[in-house]
Amino acid sequence: MDFSYPKARPEVERLKAYSAPLEGRRGLLRLDFNENTIGPSPKVIEAIGAIPPDHFAIYPEYDGLREAVIANLALPLAPAQIGLFNGVDAAIHAIFHAYGDRGETLLTTSPTFGYYAPCAQMQGMVIEAIPYVLPDFAFPLEEVSAALVQKPRLLLICNPNNPTGTRLAPEAIVELAAAAPQTLVVIDELYEAFSGDSVLPLADFAATPNLVVLRSLAKTAGLAGLRMGFAIGAAPVIDRISRVTGPYDINSVAVTAAHAALADQAYTDAYVAEVQRARSWLVEQLAAAGVRHHCAGGNYLLIWPERPVSEVDAELRAAGILVRSMAGKPLIDGSLRVSIGTTEQMQQFWVAYSAL
Ligand SMILES: Cc1ncc(COP(=O)(O)O)c(C=O)c1O
């Protein structure tokens, strides 16, 4: 650029933003972002269609939504313990904004979801990322426990982990949080429905007010495009995280959709069950064909093709199927992450993959 422009904060000037390919995905079989592959409940579509015109003209209203989340979770929580965010991404951003100061440490694992690191970097935080343990990408529990002694500001655990699927027992999470009261322990449970490992039923936010759990309607209920995420924890912590967001960051269409989705848990449960069936089916095919793979929690698995991953990625795209290359990611370089949809969709994937 040949003119001078106002420089941002040094951390922002240095920042390598989290970027995902966000164009040209329509009409293809999208197995690249772990999205719901069939769309939300018909009741969500119906509710959106029934929005009266004046609702588009007024600022969104959030009353009743926290209560609906609690009813959906069927847990003894108070509305002030539920934070509403424009997707879990926005919740993660807000957590860093509210809690992460320059020079403080984010403790996390590696490889994991790609948005934690840029959020830490934009705050000027130091990142300590502990690798999963080979050969099965086990959770590095001893190393994480040992690192907590240094009192990092934040511990972020994705459970099950994206992209390795690694699962950490809820009991171990409660112990970590109890042992580290000066660290905000954030558990990203975006994919919890596919493994059933939630820490929420065990969590006592009065005893461990430093524990925060993240949930989203993106991947299970099929609302990724509408953006709706929740942070669940002790009321004062949820209050601090919510302070750094704008007053109307969640739009009213997303609010209507969320009410309808939360009220139709049977639809989401049926989708999750289908994904689990499809995951087992694909694992059987991979095992029978001798394809190196790794499948643990989540609606995704890793495959190591024998040919360069970029070629396989491109050829699958040409066949109308999107997957995510893990090139350059520690421990899993050379693999592809394949999201799991319905059995029929996985059959389509397997036919194309086998023909490469
Ligand atoms: C682990 C993890 N956390 C958070 C997100 C973002 O969730 P949302 O769509 O609710 O912002 C993703 C999306 O891929 C994810 O994989």
Side-chain angles (χ1 to χ4, degrees):
M1 211 172 284
D2 57 2
F3 60 90
S4 72
Y5 57 93
K7 290 282 192 292
R9 290 190 291 116
E11 287 84 2
V12 177
E13 289 295 332
R14 282 196 297 270
L15 192 65
K16 195 169 168 295
Y18 173 70
S19 68
L22 294 173
E23 283 162 20
R25 302 176 63 237
R26 287 180 202 193
L28 302 172
L29 176 56
R30 295 174 296 271
L31 305 179
D32 50 348
F33 283 101
N34 306 337
E35 293 154 323
N36 169 312
T37 56
I38 60 167
S41 156
K43 290 180 184 160
V44 168
I45 308 303
E46 206 178 299
I48 292 174
I51 296 176
D54 69 317
H55 277 210
F56 293 101
I58 63 171
Y59 286 107
E61 296 182 2
Y62 304 120
D63 52 307
L65 187 51
R66 291 175 178 82
E67 288 79 356
V69 173
I70 293 167
N72 177 274
L73 292 170
L75 289 171
L77 296 163
Q81 293 186 264
I82 311 293
L84 309 176
F85 295 88
N86 188 27
V88 158
D89 281 342
I92 294 166
H93 188 269
I95 287 168
F96 278 89
H97 205 38
Y99 279 90
D101 220 343
R102 185 171 297 159
E104 292 183 325
T105 299
L106 161 69
L107 178 62
T108 189
T109 51
S110 173
T112 192
F113 179 48
Y115 191 50
Y116 309 148
C119 283
Q121 283 154 358
M122 68 181 86
Q123 297 304 113
M125 294 180 81
V126 176
I127 302 172
E128 184 178 357
I130 300 185
Y132 284 93
V133 185
L134 292 172
D136 289 327
F137 307 100
F139 190 85
L141 190 54
E142 272 177 33
E143 293 84 344
V144 168
S145 301
L148 279 176
V149 173
Q150 303 300 321
K151 300 186 173 58
R153 184 60 158 158
L154 288 169
L155 167 61
L156 235 159
I157 298 174
C158 185
N159 191 40
N161 184 48
N162 173 12
T164 60
T166 306
R167 297 165 64 174
L168 178 60
E171 293 78 7
I173 292 171
V174 171
E175 275 177 34
L176 286 176
Q182 277 133 318
T183 299
L184 191 69
V185 176
V186 181
I187 309 299
D188 184 342
E189 289 196 349
L190 222 80
Y191 302 100
E192 153 292 324
F194 301 103
S195 350
D197 287 331
S198 178
V199 71
L200 276 178
L202 280 190
D204 174 350
F205 293 109
T208 48
N210 57 323
L211 181 64
V212 174
V213 180
L214 305 178
R215 290 287 189 94
S216 169
L217 296 181
K219 315 282 180 169
T220 47
L223 301 187
L226 286 173
R227 320 298 298 128
M228 180 62 76
F230 311 116
I232 302 158
V237 174
I238 298 305
D239 170 63
R240 300 314 185 272
I241 300 169
S242 304
R243 281 184 193 183
V244 299
T245 65
Y248 303 118
D249 280 0
I250 303 163
N251 73 76
S252 50
V253 179
V255 172
T256 299
H259 275 291
L262 289 165
D264 193 1
Q265 186 60 31
Y267 179 88
T268 301
D269 290 347
Y271 177 69
V272 169
E274 171 58 13
V275 168
Q276 287 166 331
R277 275 192 296 275
R279 189 172 63 183
S280 304
W281 181 86
L282 182 59
V283 167
E284 271 172 36
Q285 313 312 307
L286 291 164
V291 176
R292 184 181 165 205
H293 63 280
H294 175 74
C295 177
N299 59 340
Y300 44 83
L301 50 74
L302 296 171
I303 292 180
W304 281 261
E306 278 174 12
R307 291 197 290 128
V309 84
S310 54
E311 279 177 25
V312 176
D313 192 16
E315 286 171 33
L316 282 171
R317 177 179 267 271
I321 299 173
L322 300 177
V323 295
R324 193 95 192 259
S325 163
M326 295 286 112
K329 291 238 182 204
L331 306 183
I332 55 168
D333 190 20
S335 69
L336 290 172
R337 190 191 64 198
V338 182
S339 306
I340 311 294
T342 63
T343 306
E344 206 184 317
Q345 289 168 332
M346 300 334 288
Q347 284 165 346
Q348 190 186 333
F349 164 79
W350 185 238
V351 167
Y353 188 85
S354 309
L356 292 181

